[in-house]
């Protein structure tokens, strides 16, 4: 099956053609935002990290920023650096240039301050934009897609209709050779044995169990027992009783395919098929990690109504709650409530969602894109220094 995408020099395929202004550290966020604001249509990635981190935490932030720069939806990138941060802006630029895509660096301290850095960045990005916007879409295979799965603001309808619907589409994508990324490790608690039993190899199965054990031990170190609880007030109001019940609904997004690989937060997978990324349940940080892992598009279910988007990848918002489909209709891309109400079969709705995905991949704007939602967040391991 084919679609029209942007073919990059390294062979990756974008479904969007963004010129990105990427802040290497929180101290560069203001300059990055000012540059993007001056050039409508430019994407910007700001965050609260990039300095004051050590060891695995520092490496995770760097890996995530590298992956954001290298996402297939990025045609060119300007990295904005303060000049003395812990993260390596040079590494981001070098990786992007090695992929054959334009990349440049502006250091605020070397420019002489905010205004000079903004002006320098505007000149660079304007030239990048003029060049990159000449690129046309070309035919690509659906096996080149990497689709992220996310749920935020879940309620009972998420597990009844929206998540199983995404699971149907996940299996369809995998049968066509694509990659699907399941995230939210805390929302596997109590159901990890199910995913482990679906692992392609014993090693992958052990890895599934380990990441769930690690997140539980992390919670225990803060004197919190996640088993048998439901930590989110909105989930409780939406009809969910325990984290195990929520986990069963979360797993429904992954369909029935075998788990091919388990990767770290922000890591680019090496396998096609179903991949698990070890992310928090917090949807903004989870989506950021999967996009850093190369995902070009996100299927995002919500029962309570969540307007979260991404600056890099289109986010398709799906709800199985008829009330949310009505009162938050400007944020919802796909109404799955006919499945909830018994008016439409899962298979028929699944085919509609699959066609919606193909339309978005081909360029149709999602609600979050139209509304300008571009939330970002990089998860952390340890405290700031």
């Amino acid at each position: 099956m084919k679609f029209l995408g942007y073919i990059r020099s390294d062979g990756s395929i974008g479904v969007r053609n963004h010129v990105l202004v990427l802040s290497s550290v929180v101290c560069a966020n203001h300059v990055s935002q000012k540059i993007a604001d001056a050039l409508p249509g430019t994407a910007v990635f700001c965050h609260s990290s990039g300095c004051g981190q050590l060891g695995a935490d520092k490496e995770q932030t760097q890996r995530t920023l590298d992956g954001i720069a290298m996402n297939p939806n990025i045609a060119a990138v300007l990295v904005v650096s303060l000049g003395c941060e812990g993260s390596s802006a040079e590494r981001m630029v070098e990786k992007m240039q090695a992929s054959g895509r334009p990349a440049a660096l502006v250091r605020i301290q070397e420019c002489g301050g905010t205004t000079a850095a903004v002006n320098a960045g505007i000149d660079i990005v304007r030239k990048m934009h003029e060049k990159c916007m000449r690129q046309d879409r070309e035919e690509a295979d659906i096996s080149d897609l990497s689709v992220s799965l996310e749920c935020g603001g879940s309620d009972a309808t998420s597990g009844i209709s929206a998540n199983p619907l995404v699971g149907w589409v996940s299996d369809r994508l995998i049968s066509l050779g694509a990659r699907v990324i399941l995230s939210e490790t805390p929302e596997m608690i109590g159901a990890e044995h199910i995913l482990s039993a679906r692992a392609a190899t014993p090693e992958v199965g052990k890895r599934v169990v380990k990441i769930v054990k690690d997140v539980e031990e992390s919670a225990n170190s803060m004197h919190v027992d996640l088993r048998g609880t439901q930590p989110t007030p909105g989930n409780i109001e939406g009809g969910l009783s325990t984290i195990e019940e929520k986990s069963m609904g979360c797993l429904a997004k992954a369909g029935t395919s075998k788990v091919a690989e388990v990767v770290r937060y922000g890591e680019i997978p090496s396998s096609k098929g179903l991949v698990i990324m070890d992310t928090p349940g917090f949807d903004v940080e989870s989506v950021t990690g999967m996009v850093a892992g190369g995902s070009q598009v996100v299927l995002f279910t919500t029962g309570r109504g969540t307007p979260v988007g991404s600056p890099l990848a289109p986010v398709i918002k799906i709800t199985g709650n008829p009330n949310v489909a009505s009162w938050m209709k400007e944020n919802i891309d796909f109404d799955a409530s006919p499945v909830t109400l018994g008016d439409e079969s899962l298979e028929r709705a699944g085919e509609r969602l699959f066609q919606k995905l193909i339309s978005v991949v081909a360029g149709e704007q999602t609600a979050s894109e139209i509304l300008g939602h571009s939330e970002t967040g990089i998860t952390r391991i340890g405290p700031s220094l």
Side-chain angles (χ1 to χ4, degrees):
M1 188 173 182
K2 305 295 182 181
F3 71 96
L4 295 178
Y6 297 99
I7 301 178
R8 309 301 181 196
S9 300
D10 60 357
S12 62
I13 312 294
V15 304
R16 295 295 185 266
N17 202 36
H18 295 307
V19 175
L20 174 67
V21 181
L22 173 59
S23 178
S24 68
V25 62
V26 62
C27 314
N29 284 353
H30 179 75
V31 170
S32 298
Q33 191 65 60
K34 294 284 282 187
I35 293 169
D37 288 346
L39 299 164
T42 301
V44 60
F45 186 92
C46 295
H47 55 95
S48 61
S49 301
C51 208
Q53 297 172 286
L54 293 175
D57 214 3
K58 179 181 177 181
E59 196 281 327
Q60 177 172 270
T61 294
Q62 185 71 58
R63 179 174 68 246
T64 303
L65 293 174
D66 290 346
I68 291 296
M70 290 290 292
N71 184 280
N73 290 345
I74 305 305
V77 65
L78 170 69
V79 179
V80 180
S81 161
L82 176 59
C84 60
E85 65 267 27
S87 63
S88 174
E90 292 83 359
R91 181 170 133 177
M92 301 172 214
V93 172
E94 289 168 1
K95 283 182 173 288
M96 190 66 166
Q97 289 175 338
S99 76
R101 285 175 275 176
L105 173 62
V106 165
R107 293 188 181 90
I108 299 168
Q109 291 169 344
E110 293 182 4
C111 286
T114 295
T115 301
V118 170
N119 290 337
I122 289 172
D123 288 342
I124 293 169
V125 173
R126 182 180 288 115
K127 292 173 183 175
M128 285 179 169
H129 196 271
E130 290 172 355
K131 180 179 179 180
C132 293
M133 291 307 103
R134 299 190 197 109
Q135 184 175 1
D136 294 323
R137 288 180 179 266
E138 301 177 63
E139 190 174 79
D141 195 84
I142 198 167
S143 61
D144 291 310
L145 282 181
S146 180
V147 180
S148 292
L149 312 179
E150 185 67 30
C151 49
S154 299
D155 73 350
T157 70
S158 298
I160 291 170
S161 56
N163 288 2
L165 188 60
V166 168
W168 189 94
V169 174
S170 299
D171 284 340
R172 175 82 175 273
L173 286 165
I174 290 169
S175 73
L176 294 169
R179 176 186 297 132
V180 172
I181 304 179
L182 176 69
S183 63
E184 303 176 285
T185 307
E187 296 185 14
M188 300 173 194
I189 293 174
E192 66 271 26
H193 61 290
I194 298 173
L195 281 175
S196 178
R198 287 169 50 185
T201 67
E203 291 73 21
V204 172
K206 291 177 183 177
R207 176 72 173 143
V208 172
V209 173
K210 183 179 186 305
I211 63 172
V212 175
K213 180 181 178 182
D214 287 348
V215 79
E216 283 198 86
E217 289 180 350
S218 178
N220 290 339
S221 71
M222 292 183 284
H223 310 291
V224 175
D225 182 3
L226 295 178
R227 296 271 176 173
T229 67
Q230 179 43 258
T232 308
N235 295 147
I236 297 172
E237 292 177 9
L240 298 179
S241 60
T242 64
I243 201 165
E244 291 86 353
E245 183 179 25
K246 185 176 180 181
S247 294
M248 291 300 294
C250 177
L251 262 60
K253 301 196 305 294
T256 60
S257 302
K258 286 189 173 296
V259 180
E261 185 180 7
V262 178
V263 298
R264 298 172 296 172
Y265 182 90
E267 182 177 6
I268 298 173
S270 60
S271 305
K272 293 295 183 75
L274 179 61
V275 173
I276 294 175
M277 180 176 286
D278 184 12
T279 79
F282 178 33
D283 44 26
V284 174
E285 292 181 356
S286 179
V287 168
T288 297
M290 291 187 286
V291 171
S295 184
Q296 305 112 310
V297 62
V298 182
L299 293 175
F300 191 127
T301 66
T302 181
R304 302 279 296 171
T306 303
V308 165
S310 166
L312 275 68
V315 176
I316 301 173
K317 209 60 63 69
I318 304 148
T319 188
N321 186 320
N323 294 324
V324 171
S326 175
W327 74 56
M328 289 192 70
K329 60 184 177 182
E330 73 166 348
N331 298 102
I332 301 299
D333 297 287
F334 190 90
D335 179 8
S337 64
V339 177
T340 307
L341 300 172
D343 296 331
E344 186 176 24
S345 69
L346 186 71
E347 293 75 17
R348 183 173 178 180
E351 183 59 38
R352 285 199 299 117
L353 179 57
F354 182 78
Q355 292 304 322
K356 179 68 174 183
L357 171 65
I358 297 303
S359 296
V360 169
V361 163
E364 179 185 336
Q365 294 278 289
T366 63
S368 63
E369 289 178 294
I370 293 168
L371 293 168
H373 280 281
S374 56
E375 291 79 7
T376 62
I378 301 174
T379 195
R380 299 176 70 101
I381 299 171
S384 299
L385 297 180

